[in-house]
Amino acid sequence: MEVQAIRGFNDVLPEEIGRWQFVEKTARKVFEGFGFSEIRIPILERTELFSRGIGEATDIVEKEMYTFTDRSGNSLTLRPEATASMARAYLEHQLYNFDSMAKLYCIGPMFRYERPQKGRYRQFYQVDAEVFGVENPMVDAELIAMLIHFLKSVGLERLELQLNTLGDRACRPKYREGLKKYLEGKVSQLCEDCRRRLESNPLRILDCKVETCKQAIADAPKVTDFICSECQNHFDRVKEYLEAAGLSYVLNPRMVRGLDYYTRTAFEVVSYQLGSQNAVAGGGRYDNLFQEIGGKEIPGIGFAIGMERLISLLPEGGEFVKHPDLFVAALGEASFKEAYRIVNQLHLEGIRAELDYEGKSLKSQMRRADKLKSRYTLILGQEELNRGKALLRNMGTKSQEEIPMGDGFLNQLKDKISTID
Ligand code: HAM
């Protein structure tokens, strides 16, 4: 039996990579334009970073982490998300000493032991952006505006921005109690998981997909019935700034997010083109995360975009696949050497050029040039060498022309193949 990849872990093949590179390039361009800098953080962290940062009672920490003990007996975890690691790096390197505000982004794989299905994998990539050090609701709106601008820049349409507030340390416990009290009267309708959540994390019940649980929460109290005036004020201003930026949103009082660190603003971007896993991006404010992981009180807000989901929404088509600019078809020892010299020179100048290494016939080399969708083929048979002229064929229009070999040959060749026709 051939060794195969682990379930839920995907290869990204050369035919798909163009889309990935396009998304990553656009993210860097857009984010850096908004003043963000890239940070690269390790894939492995101490387990306690996530159990403290994300919260012991979350699905991620309870049952989805890839945790193991290393050879020195340390408990380590493959990062299930990037926010806690970015906060750790910010504290560890005292980046706050440089400026009170930090705008950081990172791109890379995350790991969660979830049941794989379309749009849900065990290794998946996120594009993540975070702003540390500012509590002003203007930043919440600006960050969301950047997210929407980015998603539009890669060509996504039919998106919905869903918005909620989750209160803070002062008012959320009151909501939690109110919700718990309400749901205690509905225990018989709750699934097994939610009965457990009733004690550990009643807010998560709002997110349950089980039909009876959905019915149980239909008339449940909303967070907005409980939040304090500071949180209400923050939320109102986020909405105002979003409106001022011309962004529309839908209020979703049931959106709780799957990580415990959120306070106040929470948001998701959903796509109607995706199936059950329809969240392309999610994020929110987390004003207590830094304290949870042992630091001082620093406000923060951020989001993460699921790359696989985003890429599945990009239009189909070959525009992302890279093809050779030139295929040099040669025949005979002398002409092969010449072909080698030309291709080598073009490679040094960053031009995608290919040739045959297997001594195939001119006809089968032409077939390969066709299969590779090369834009041009340069035919360099013995006859062409004898006449001192190479034949350049445009594979799209099928037109051909001769280029005299000798001085200036490479420059002429480059001129011809760089012309967009
Ligand atoms: P999250 O909602 O857990 O948030 O993940 C963000 C996005 O990652 C989701 O909307 C989805 O597109 C993608 N995603 C999550 N799990 C999977 C999976 N198993 N397979 C494929 N895609 C997945 C966070 O991770 C937070 N750290 C976001 C954040 C940043 N909040 C503040 N700052």
Side-chain angles (χ1 to χ4, degrees), residues 325-376:
D325 298 308
L326 182 74
F327 189 99
V328 184
L331 204 65
E333 185 65 25
S335 97
F336 186 77
K337 222 177 203 162
E338 188 56 23
Y340 168 79
R341 202 182 60 79
I342 296 171
V343 166
N344 192 37
Q345 193 54 42
L346 293 178
H347 283 168
L348 293 179
E349 299 187 32
I351 296 170
R352 276 175 89 93
E354 289 294 331
L355 81 163
D356 164 63
Y357 298 96
E358 291 170 293
K360 293 219 172 106
S361 70
L362 213 50
K363 206 165 162 195
S364 79
Q365 291 185 49
M366 294 297 284
R367 267 203 303 272
R368 184 156 168 249
D370 223 23
K371 197 174 79 184
L372 295 177
K373 297 202 172 74
S374 181
R375 286 172 51 236
Y376 285 91

Short mmCIF file of all heavy atoms in Angstrom, two decimals, residues 325-376:
data_model
loop_
_atom_site.label_atom_id
_atom_site.label_comp_id
_atom_site.label_asym_id
_atom_site.label_seq_id
_atom_site.Cartn_x
_atom_site.Cartn_y
_atom_site.Cartn_z
N ASP A 325 6.55 30.33 -21.16
CA ASP A 325 6.52 31.36 -22.20
C ASP A 325 7.06 30.78 -23.50
O ASP A 325 6.61 31.15 -24.58
CB ASP A 325 7.42 32.54 -21.78
CG ASP A 325 6.91 33.18 -20.51
OD1 ASP A 325 5.72 33.52 -20.48
OD2 ASP A 325 7.69 33.32 -19.55
N LEU A 326 8.02 29.87 -23.34
CA LEU A 326 8.67 29.35 -24.55
C LEU A 326 9.06 27.90 -24.35
O LEU A 326 9.55 27.51 -23.28
CB LEU A 326 9.96 30.16 -24.80
CG LEU A 326 10.73 29.78 -26.05
CD1 LEU A 326 10.02 30.29 -27.30
CD2 LEU A 326 12.15 30.34 -26.02
N PHE A 327 8.81 27.09 -25.39
CA PHE A 327 9.32 25.72 -25.40
C PHE A 327 10.33 25.64 -26.53
O PHE A 327 10.01 26.01 -27.66
CB PHE A 327 8.17 24.73 -25.62
CG PHE A 327 8.59 23.30 -25.43
CD1 PHE A 327 8.34 22.63 -24.24
CD2 PHE A 327 9.27 22.61 -26.44
CE1 PHE A 327 8.74 21.33 -24.04
CE2 PHE A 327 9.68 21.30 -26.25
CZ PHE A 327 9.42 20.65 -25.04
N VAL A 328 11.53 25.20 -26.25
CA VAL A 328 12.53 25.09 -27.32
C VAL A 328 12.58 23.64 -27.77
O VAL A 328 12.97 22.76 -27.01
CB VAL A 328 13.91 25.59 -26.85
CG1 VAL A 328 14.90 25.54 -28.01
CG2 VAL A 328 13.82 27.00 -26.29
N ALA A 329 12.13 23.41 -28.99
CA ALA A 329 12.13 22.05 -29.55
C ALA A 329 13.40 21.89 -30.40
O ALA A 329 13.59 22.64 -31.36
CB ALA A 329 10.87 21.84 -30.38
N ALA A 330 14.24 20.93 -30.00
CA ALA A 330 15.53 20.78 -30.70
C ALA A 330 15.66 19.36 -31.21
O ALA A 330 15.00 18.43 -30.73
CB ALA A 330 16.66 21.10 -29.73
N LEU A 331 16.50 19.19 -32.22
CA LEU A 331 16.75 17.85 -32.75
C LEU A 331 18.22 17.74 -33.13
O LEU A 331 18.74 18.58 -33.86
CB LEU A 331 15.86 17.58 -33.96
CG LEU A 331 15.61 16.10 -34.23
CD1 LEU A 331 14.82 15.45 -33.11
CD2 LEU A 331 14.84 15.94 -35.55
N GLY A 332 18.87 16.72 -32.62
CA GLY A 332 20.29 16.53 -32.94
C GLY A 332 21.17 17.14 -31.86
O GLY A 332 20.77 18.08 -31.17
N GLU A 333 22.35 16.57 -31.73
CA GLU A 333 23.28 16.94 -30.66
C GLU A 333 23.58 18.43 -30.64
O GLU A 333 23.45 19.11 -29.61
CB GLU A 333 24.57 16.12 -30.87
CG GLU A 333 25.62 16.28 -29.80
CD GLU A 333 25.17 15.74 -28.44
OE1 GLU A 333 24.29 14.83 -28.42
OE2 GLU A 333 25.67 16.23 -27.43
N ALA A 334 23.96 18.99 -31.80
CA ALA A 334 24.39 20.39 -31.85
C ALA A 334 23.23 21.32 -31.50
O ALA A 334 23.39 22.29 -30.73
CB ALA A 334 24.91 20.72 -33.24
N SER A 335 22.06 21.01 -32.04
CA SER A 335 20.93 21.91 -31.80
C SER A 335 20.46 21.78 -30.34
O SER A 335 20.00 22.75 -29.74
CB SER A 335 19.83 21.67 -32.82
OG SER A 335 18.85 20.85 -32.33
N PHE A 336 20.57 20.59 -29.77
CA PHE A 336 20.18 20.41 -28.36
C PHE A 336 21.06 21.28 -27.45
O PHE A 336 20.58 21.92 -26.52
CB PHE A 336 20.28 18.94 -27.96
CG PHE A 336 19.76 18.69 -26.59
CD1 PHE A 336 18.39 18.64 -26.34
CD2 PHE A 336 20.62 18.56 -25.51
CE1 PHE A 336 17.90 18.45 -25.06
CE2 PHE A 336 20.14 18.37 -24.23
CZ PHE A 336 18.77 18.31 -24.00
N LYS A 337 22.35 21.33 -27.78
CA LYS A 337 23.29 22.12 -26.99
C LYS A 337 22.91 23.61 -27.06
O LYS A 337 22.93 24.33 -26.07
CB LYS A 337 24.69 21.94 -27.55
CG LYS A 337 25.73 21.78 -26.47
CD LYS A 337 27.07 21.54 -27.11
CE LYS A 337 27.99 20.85 -26.15
NZ LYS A 337 29.11 20.24 -26.83
N GLU A 338 22.52 24.02 -28.29
CA GLU A 338 22.12 25.41 -28.49
C GLU A 338 20.84 25.70 -27.69
O GLU A 338 20.71 26.75 -27.05
CB GLU A 338 21.91 25.64 -30.00
CG GLU A 338 21.68 27.07 -30.43
CD GLU A 338 22.81 28.02 -30.01
OE1 GLU A 338 23.93 27.55 -29.77
OE2 GLU A 338 22.52 29.24 -29.88
N ALA A 339 19.92 24.73 -27.76
CA ALA A 339 18.65 24.88 -27.02
C ALA A 339 18.93 25.02 -25.53
O ALA A 339 18.36 25.87 -24.84
CB ALA A 339 17.76 23.68 -27.27
N TYR A 340 19.82 24.20 -25.04
CA TYR A 340 20.20 24.23 -23.62
C TYR A 340 20.73 25.61 -23.23
O TYR A 340 20.38 26.19 -22.21
CB TYR A 340 21.25 23.15 -23.36
CG TYR A 340 21.91 23.25 -22.03
CD1 TYR A 340 21.28 22.80 -20.88
CD2 TYR A 340 23.18 23.82 -21.90
CE1 TYR A 340 21.88 22.90 -19.65
CE2 TYR A 340 23.78 23.95 -20.68
CZ TYR A 340 23.14 23.48 -19.55
OH TYR A 340 23.73 23.61 -18.33
N ARG A 341 21.58 26.16 -24.13
CA ARG A 341 22.21 27.45 -23.87
C ARG A 341 21.13 28.56 -23.82
O ARG A 341 21.12 29.41 -22.93
CB ARG A 341 23.22 27.75 -24.98
CG ARG A 341 24.30 28.75 -24.63
CD ARG A 341 25.20 29.01 -25.83
NE ARG A 341 24.50 29.54 -26.99
CZ ARG A 341 24.15 30.83 -27.13
NH1 ARG A 341 24.46 31.70 -26.20
NH2 ARG A 341 23.49 31.24 -28.21
N ILE A 342 20.21 28.50 -24.77
CA ILE A 342 19.14 29.53 -24.83
C ILE A 342 18.25 29.45 -23.58
O ILE A 342 17.98 30.45 -22.92
CB ILE A 342 18.27 29.32 -26.11
CG1 ILE A 342 19.11 29.54 -27.36
CG2 ILE A 342 17.04 30.23 -26.09
CD1 ILE A 342 18.41 29.15 -28.66
N VAL A 343 17.82 28.22 -23.26
CA VAL A 343 16.90 28.04 -22.12
C VAL A 343 17.59 28.49 -20.83
O VAL A 343 16.99 29.19 -20.00
CB VAL A 343 16.43 26.56 -22.04
CG1 VAL A 343 15.78 26.27 -20.69
CG2 VAL A 343 15.46 26.27 -23.17
N ASN A 344 18.83 28.13 -20.69
CA ASN A 344 19.57 28.52 -19.49
C ASN A 344 19.62 30.04 -19.36
O ASN A 344 19.37 30.60 -18.28
CB ASN A 344 20.98 27.92 -19.57
CG ASN A 344 21.69 28.05 -18.25
OD1 ASN A 344 21.06 27.90 -17.20
ND2 ASN A 344 22.96 28.35 -18.29
N GLN A 345 19.91 30.71 -20.47
CA GLN A 345 20.00 32.17 -20.45
C GLN A 345 18.64 32.79 -20.08
O GLN A 345 18.56 33.72 -19.28
CB GLN A 345 20.47 32.68 -21.82
CG GLN A 345 20.89 34.14 -21.84
CD GLN A 345 21.95 34.45 -20.79
OE1 GLN A 345 22.89 33.67 -20.58
NE2 GLN A 345 21.79 35.57 -20.09
N LEU A 346 17.58 32.23 -20.66
CA LEU A 346 16.23 32.77 -20.37
C LEU A 346 15.88 32.55 -18.89
O LEU A 346 15.30 33.43 -18.24
CB LEU A 346 15.18 32.12 -21.27
CG LEU A 346 15.31 32.47 -22.76
CD1 LEU A 346 14.25 31.73 -23.57
CD2 LEU A 346 15.16 33.98 -23.00
N HIS A 347 16.24 31.38 -18.36
CA HIS A 347 15.96 31.13 -16.93
C HIS A 347 16.63 32.17 -16.05
O HIS A 347 16.05 32.64 -15.07
CB HIS A 347 16.47 29.73 -16.54
CG HIS A 347 15.57 28.64 -16.99
ND1 HIS A 347 15.92 27.31 -16.97
CD2 HIS A 347 14.31 28.67 -17.50
CE1 HIS A 347 14.93 26.58 -17.42
NE2 HIS A 347 13.93 27.39 -17.76
N LEU A 348 17.87 32.53 -16.42
CA LEU A 348 18.59 33.52 -15.60
C LEU A 348 17.86 34.86 -15.62
O LEU A 348 18.02 35.67 -14.71
CB LEU A 348 20.02 33.71 -16.13
CG LEU A 348 20.94 32.49 -15.98
CD1 LEU A 348 22.31 32.78 -16.56
CD2 LEU A 348 21.07 32.09 -14.52
N GLU A 349 17.08 35.07 -16.67
CA GLU A 349 16.35 36.35 -16.76
C GLU A 349 14.90 36.21 -16.33
O GLU A 349 14.08 37.11 -16.57
CB GLU A 349 16.46 36.87 -18.20
CG GLU A 349 17.91 37.10 -18.55
CD GLU A 349 18.11 37.78 -19.88
OE1 GLU A 349 17.24 38.60 -20.24
OE2 GLU A 349 19.12 37.50 -20.53
N GLY A 350 14.57 35.06 -15.73
CA GLY A 350 13.23 34.89 -15.17
C GLY A 350 12.15 34.60 -16.20
O GLY A 350 10.98 34.88 -15.95
N ILE A 351 12.55 34.07 -17.35
CA ILE A 351 11.54 33.73 -18.37
C ILE A 351 11.29 32.22 -18.31
O ILE A 351 12.24 31.43 -18.30
CB ILE A 351 12.03 34.16 -19.77
CG1 ILE A 351 12.17 35.68 -19.78
CG2 ILE A 351 11.08 33.67 -20.86
CD1 ILE A 351 12.86 36.24 -21.00
N ARG A 352 10.01 31.85 -18.23
CA ARG A 352 9.70 30.41 -18.11
C ARG A 352 9.94 29.72 -19.44
O ARG A 352 9.15 29.90 -20.38
CB ARG A 352 8.23 30.24 -17.70
CG ARG A 352 7.99 30.34 -16.22
CD ARG A 352 6.52 30.29 -15.92
NE ARG A 352 6.03 28.93 -15.72
CZ ARG A 352 5.94 28.35 -14.54
NH1 ARG A 352 6.32 28.99 -13.45
NH2 ARG A 352 5.44 27.11 -14.42
N ALA A 353 11.02 28.96 -19.53
CA ALA A 353 11.34 28.27 -20.78
C ALA A 353 11.55 26.78 -20.48
O ALA A 353 12.01 26.41 -19.40
CB ALA A 353 12.60 28.87 -21.39
N GLU A 354 11.14 25.95 -21.45
CA GLU A 354 11.24 24.50 -21.27
C GLU A 354 11.93 23.88 -22.47
O GLU A 354 11.91 24.46 -23.57
CB GLU A 354 9.83 23.89 -21.19
CG GLU A 354 9.07 24.19 -19.94
CD GLU A 354 9.68 23.57 -18.70
OE1 GLU A 354 10.34 22.53 -18.80
OE2 GLU A 354 9.53 24.18 -17.62
N LEU A 355 12.48 22.70 -22.27
CA LEU A 355 12.96 21.94 -23.42
C LEU A 355 12.84 20.46 -23.12
O LEU A 355 12.46 20.06 -22.03
CB LEU A 355 14.39 22.35 -23.80
CG LEU A 355 15.59 21.78 -23.05
CD1 LEU A 355 16.84 21.99 -23.88
CD2 LEU A 355 15.74 22.45 -21.72
N ASP A 356 13.15 19.67 -24.13
CA ASP A 356 13.02 18.22 -24.00
C ASP A 356 14.34 17.64 -23.52
O ASP A 356 15.40 18.03 -24.00
CB ASP A 356 12.62 17.65 -25.37
CG ASP A 356 12.84 16.16 -25.45
OD1 ASP A 356 12.19 15.45 -24.69
OD2 ASP A 356 13.69 15.73 -26.26
N TYR A 357 14.27 16.70 -22.57
CA TYR A 357 15.52 16.10 -22.07
C TYR A 357 15.63 14.63 -22.48
O TYR A 357 16.53 13.94 -22.06
CB TYR A 357 15.57 16.18 -20.54
CG TYR A 357 15.57 17.61 -20.00
CD1 TYR A 357 14.39 18.21 -19.60
CD2 TYR A 357 16.75 18.34 -19.91
CE1 TYR A 357 14.38 19.51 -19.11
CE2 TYR A 357 16.75 19.64 -19.41
CZ TYR A 357 15.57 20.21 -19.02
OH TYR A 357 15.57 21.49 -18.53
N GLU A 358 14.66 14.16 -23.25
CA GLU A 358 14.59 12.72 -23.48
C GLU A 358 14.88 12.28 -24.90
O GLU A 358 14.62 11.14 -25.27
CB GLU A 358 13.21 12.21 -23.06
CG GLU A 358 13.01 12.29 -21.56
CD GLU A 358 11.58 12.04 -21.16
OE1 GLU A 358 10.71 12.87 -21.49
OE2 GLU A 358 11.31 11.01 -20.56
N GLY A 359 15.34 13.21 -25.73
CA GLY A 359 15.68 12.85 -27.11
C GLY A 359 14.48 12.44 -27.93
O GLY A 359 14.56 11.54 -28.77
N LYS A 360 13.32 13.07 -27.67
CA LYS A 360 12.10 12.70 -28.39
C LYS A 360 12.11 13.32 -29.80
O LYS A 360 12.86 14.25 -30.08
CB LYS A 360 10.89 13.20 -27.62
CG LYS A 360 10.70 12.49 -26.30
CD LYS A 360 9.23 12.24 -26.03
CE LYS A 360 9.03 11.37 -24.81
NZ LYS A 360 8.53 12.13 -23.68
N SER A 361 11.20 12.84 -30.65
CA SER A 361 11.09 13.39 -32.01
C SER A 361 10.56 14.82 -31.94
O SER A 361 9.92 15.22 -30.95
CB SER A 361 10.13 12.53 -32.83
OG SER A 361 8.83 12.74 -32.35
N LEU A 362 10.80 15.57 -33.02
CA LEU A 362 10.34 16.96 -33.06
C LEU A 362 8.81 17.01 -32.88
O LEU A 362 8.28 17.88 -32.18
CB LEU A 362 10.75 17.57 -34.41
CG LEU A 362 11.10 19.04 -34.40
CD1 LEU A 362 12.10 19.40 -33.32
CD2 LEU A 362 11.66 19.46 -35.76
N LYS A 363 8.13 16.04 -33.47
CA LYS A 363 6.67 16.00 -33.40
C LYS A 363 6.20 15.82 -31.95
O LYS A 363 5.29 16.51 -31.48
CB LYS A 363 6.17 14.83 -34.26
CG LYS A 363 4.79 15.02 -34.76
CD LYS A 363 4.52 14.05 -35.86
CE LYS A 363 3.03 13.92 -36.08
NZ LYS A 363 2.73 12.75 -36.88
N SER A 364 6.85 14.91 -31.25
CA SER A 364 6.37 14.69 -29.88
C SER A 364 6.79 15.85 -28.97
O SER A 364 6.10 16.15 -28.00
CB SER A 364 6.78 13.32 -29.34
OG SER A 364 8.10 13.34 -28.93
N GLN A 365 7.87 16.54 -29.31
CA GLN A 365 8.23 17.75 -28.53
C GLN A 365 7.16 18.83 -28.75
O GLN A 365 6.78 19.53 -27.82
CB GLN A 365 9.59 18.28 -28.97
CG GLN A 365 10.75 17.37 -28.56
CD GLN A 365 12.10 18.00 -28.90
OE1 GLN A 365 12.34 19.14 -28.58
NE2 GLN A 365 12.95 17.22 -29.55
N MET A 366 6.68 18.93 -30.00
CA MET A 366 5.63 19.92 -30.29
C MET A 366 4.35 19.57 -29.52
O MET A 366 3.66 20.45 -29.00
CB MET A 366 5.33 19.99 -31.79
CG MET A 366 6.47 20.49 -32.64
SD MET A 366 6.93 22.19 -32.24
CE MET A 366 5.61 23.10 -33.01
N ARG A 367 4.08 18.27 -29.44
CA ARG A 367 2.89 17.84 -28.69
C ARG A 367 3.02 18.22 -27.22
O ARG A 367 2.07 18.68 -26.58
CB ARG A 367 2.71 16.31 -28.82
CG ARG A 367 1.78 15.92 -29.98
CD ARG A 367 1.18 14.54 -29.75
NE ARG A 367 2.18 13.51 -29.56
CZ ARG A 367 2.74 12.81 -30.55
NH1 ARG A 367 2.37 13.03 -31.81
NH2 ARG A 367 3.65 11.88 -30.30
N ARG A 368 4.23 18.07 -26.68
CA ARG A 368 4.45 18.42 -25.26
C ARG A 368 4.30 19.92 -25.05
O ARG A 368 3.69 20.37 -24.07
CB ARG A 368 5.83 17.93 -24.82
CG ARG A 368 6.08 18.16 -23.38
CD ARG A 368 7.09 17.26 -22.74
NE ARG A 368 7.43 17.82 -21.42
CZ ARG A 368 8.60 18.35 -21.10
NH1 ARG A 368 9.59 18.37 -21.98
NH2 ARG A 368 8.78 18.85 -19.91
N ALA A 369 4.83 20.70 -26.01
CA ALA A 369 4.71 22.16 -25.91
C ALA A 369 3.23 22.56 -25.87
O ALA A 369 2.82 23.45 -25.12
CB ALA A 369 5.41 22.82 -27.09
N ASP A 370 2.45 21.83 -26.65
CA ASP A 370 1.01 22.08 -26.72
C ASP A 370 0.35 21.73 -25.38
O ASP A 370 -0.46 22.50 -24.84
CB ASP A 370 0.44 21.16 -27.82
CG ASP A 370 -0.56 21.89 -28.67
OD1 ASP A 370 -0.49 23.13 -28.72
OD2 ASP A 370 -1.42 21.21 -29.27
N LYS A 371 0.72 20.56 -24.87
CA LYS A 371 0.14 20.08 -23.61
C LYS A 371 0.47 21.02 -22.44
O LYS A 371 -0.35 21.31 -21.59
CB LYS A 371 0.66 18.67 -23.31
CG LYS A 371 -0.19 17.95 -22.28
CD LYS A 371 0.24 16.53 -22.11
CE LYS A 371 1.47 16.48 -21.22
NZ LYS A 371 2.03 15.15 -21.06
N LEU A 372 1.70 21.54 -22.46
CA LEU A 372 2.11 22.46 -21.39
C LEU A 372 1.52 23.85 -21.59
O LEU A 372 1.70 24.74 -20.77
CB LEU A 372 3.64 22.57 -21.34
CG LEU A 372 4.43 21.31 -20.96
CD1 LEU A 372 5.92 21.56 -21.03
CD2 LEU A 372 4.07 20.86 -19.55
N LYS A 373 0.84 24.05 -22.72
CA LYS A 373 0.23 25.34 -23.07
C LYS A 373 1.29 26.44 -23.14
O LYS A 373 1.08 27.57 -22.65
CB LYS A 373 -0.88 25.72 -22.11
CG LYS A 373 -2.06 24.76 -22.12
CD LYS A 373 -3.30 25.46 -21.58
CE LYS A 373 -4.57 24.67 -21.72
NZ LYS A 373 -4.73 23.55 -20.81
N SER A 374 2.41 26.09 -23.74
CA SER A 374 3.47 27.09 -23.92
C SER A 374 2.97 28.17 -24.88
O SER A 374 2.29 27.87 -25.86
CB SER A 374 4.70 26.40 -24.50
OG SER A 374 5.73 27.34 -24.64
N ARG A 375 3.31 29.41 -24.61
CA ARG A 375 2.84 30.50 -25.49
C ARG A 375 3.55 30.44 -26.84
O ARG A 375 2.95 30.68 -27.87
CB ARG A 375 3.08 31.86 -24.83
CG ARG A 375 2.09 32.12 -23.70
CD ARG A 375 2.43 33.38 -22.91
NE ARG A 375 2.66 34.52 -23.76
CZ ARG A 375 3.77 35.26 -23.76
NH1 ARG A 375 4.76 34.97 -22.95
NH2 ARG A 375 3.89 36.29 -24.56
N TYR A 376 4.84 30.14 -26.81
CA TYR A 376 5.64 30.08 -28.04
C TYR A 376 6.44 28.79 -28.07
O TYR A 376 6.78 28.25 -27.02
CB TYR A 376 6.63 31.25 -28.10
CG TYR A 376 5.99 32.57 -28.42
CD1 TYR A 376 5.54 33.41 -27.41
CD2 TYR A 376 5.84 32.98 -29.76
CE1 TYR A 376 4.96 34.62 -27.70
CE2 TYR A 376 5.26 34.20 -30.06
CZ TYR A 376 4.82 35.01 -29.03
OH TYR A 376 4.24 36.21 -29.32
#
